Amino acid sequence: GWGHESAMMMPACPICYGTSATRLGVFPYVQCKTCGGVQRSTPGPPPQTLIPLTLGSYRGDVALKRPINRERIAWLLRLSHLRPGTVADIGSKDGSVLEVLRAAGWNAFGYDPDTRFHPFAARELGVRISADLFTAETTSPNSLDLVTAFHVIEHMRDPWPWLTAIHRALRPDGMLYIETPNLHTIQLRQLQPEHVVLYTAASLAQMLTNAGFAIQHLSAYAPGGNRTYDQLALIATRDRAPTSRSWQFDPADAMVSVAVVRAAGERTPT
């Protein structure tokens, strides 16, 4: 059987620091009973040996992602009304997001500790990616107009230092764009050991608001077509205008039943 939802104690919720949670069936995830935040209840996997990249596989990956990234950035720029400036992309991987941003007139550079991609990105796309992690020590305050982070936050057990570093690095009118799996439409491919915190729209908005950002746009269906339909896309500004309304958070909107996660599990190939 799938098991039952049961109350239990857990490590502090990364969103609200609550310690009372509900287990989501037999899956190794628990949900905070206060805010709906979901985190993995077992440690993530140990670091794995990375498979070397070939030029052919790199080019194929970039070709696949290029139209998706063009749609993502077009959506972001249309809604944010940002003019080209300086942007840092966190978790750049192959650099294809940087390529699109640079073509749109941005001074774009990336951060990613996976150095397999760096030589290819520099030679094929002419983009810069640092092996440093994005932290307060590796960035300058008030230096960025935009930060993008595609599928990074779900890998972080404690995202607060990271969000604080982003907030510090952005200029007063700077913006943050995040994509992450949407727990309300979760797919099996998102229930990975590396995904240690999963979000609904409400819990993601609550976390960003608590970190000092002002939510401008939040979509349950990220731009990019059928490869991103199950992703959240969030645009936030660093500072909240004096007349802007705070994000209205209803904990009920953050709750996801075990049936949602169960449905993802039932799509497991046999």
Side-chain angles (χ1 to χ4, degrees):
W2 287 95
H4 302 282
E5 298 181 10
S6 58
M8 60 178 292
M9 298 299 290
M10 70 171 185
C13 170
I15 300 171
C16 74
Y17 298 108
T19 56
S20 181
T22 298
R23 187 183 299 278
L24 293 179
V26 299
F27 292 95
Y29 290 94
V30 292
Q31 183 167 50
C32 176
K33 296 178 72 174
T34 302
C35 74
V38 170
Q39 63 176 305
R40 193 170 179 85
S41 57
T42 58
Q48 298 178 343
T49 301
L50 298 175
I51 300 173
L53 286 177
T54 66
L55 180 58
S57 65
Y58 174 84
R59 287 175 172 171
D61 190 53
V62 170
L64 179 67
K65 291 181 179 178
R66 186 174 283 124
I68 299 170
N69 289 331
R70 284 174 177 162
E71 188 170 341
R72 283 166 157 166
I73 300 306
W75 183 83
L76 163 65
L77 298 181
R78 183 173 68 251
L79 292 179
S80 68
H81 305 292
L82 280 171
R83 294 182 178 180
T86 301
V87 53
D89 178 53
I90 304 174
S92 296
K93 286 294 186 184
D94 56 25
S96 55
V97 168
L98 295 171
E99 177 194 33
V100 174
L101 285 164
R102 194 181 65 169
W106 288 78
N107 173 28
F109 56 93
Y111 291 83
D112 200 307
D114 187 349
T115 58
R116 294 177 300 163
F117 297 90
H118 298 188
F120 291 125
R123 186 168 71 244
E124 295 287 305
L125 306 180
V127 297
R128 298 171 291 151
I129 304 176
S130 169
D132 291 332
L133 296 175
F134 189 100
T135 66
E137 289 71 34
T138 59
T139 56
S140 299
N142 301 305
S143 60
L144 300 174
D145 300 291
L146 173 65
V147 171
T148 57
F150 297 90
H151 298 276
V152 176
I153 196 170
E154 66 269 20
H155 294 265
M156 296 182 177
R157 180 72 71 177
D158 180 12
W160 289 104
W162 180 71
L163 290 172
T164 299
I166 293 173
H167 195 276
R168 173 181 175 273
L170 285 171
R171 296 190 172 107
D173 57 351
M175 288 194 172
L176 168 64
Y177 178 33
I178 285 178
E179 277 190 23
T180 191
N182 182 357
L183 189 56
H184 272 308
T185 54
I186 199 72
Q187 302 291 309
L188 175 64
R189 64 193 175 96
Q190 304 296 358
L191 298 177
Q192 302 174 13
E194 297 86 359
H195 290 179
V196 294
V197 181
L198 297 171
Y199 299 87
T200 62
S203 61
L204 181 65
Q206 179 73 356
M207 169 161 276
L208 270 291
T209 300
N210 290 349
F213 293 90
I215 311 302
Q216 301 299 316
H217 301 280
L218 178 54
S219 173
Y221 305 96
N226 61 7
R227 289 181 59 84
T228 57
Y229 71 95
D230 57 348
Q231 317 298 316
L232 296 169
L234 178 146
I235 302 173
T237 55
R238 195 197 82 167
D239 291 332
R240 190 177 297 118
T243 57
S244 67
R245 299 174 62 184
S246 298
W247 181 263
Q248 300 300 307
F249 174 67
D250 182 353
D253 291 339
M255 295 301 174
V256 58
S257 72
V258 66
V260 174
V261 181
R262 180 180 301 168
E266 287 173 345
R267 290 188 283 271
T268 306
T270 57

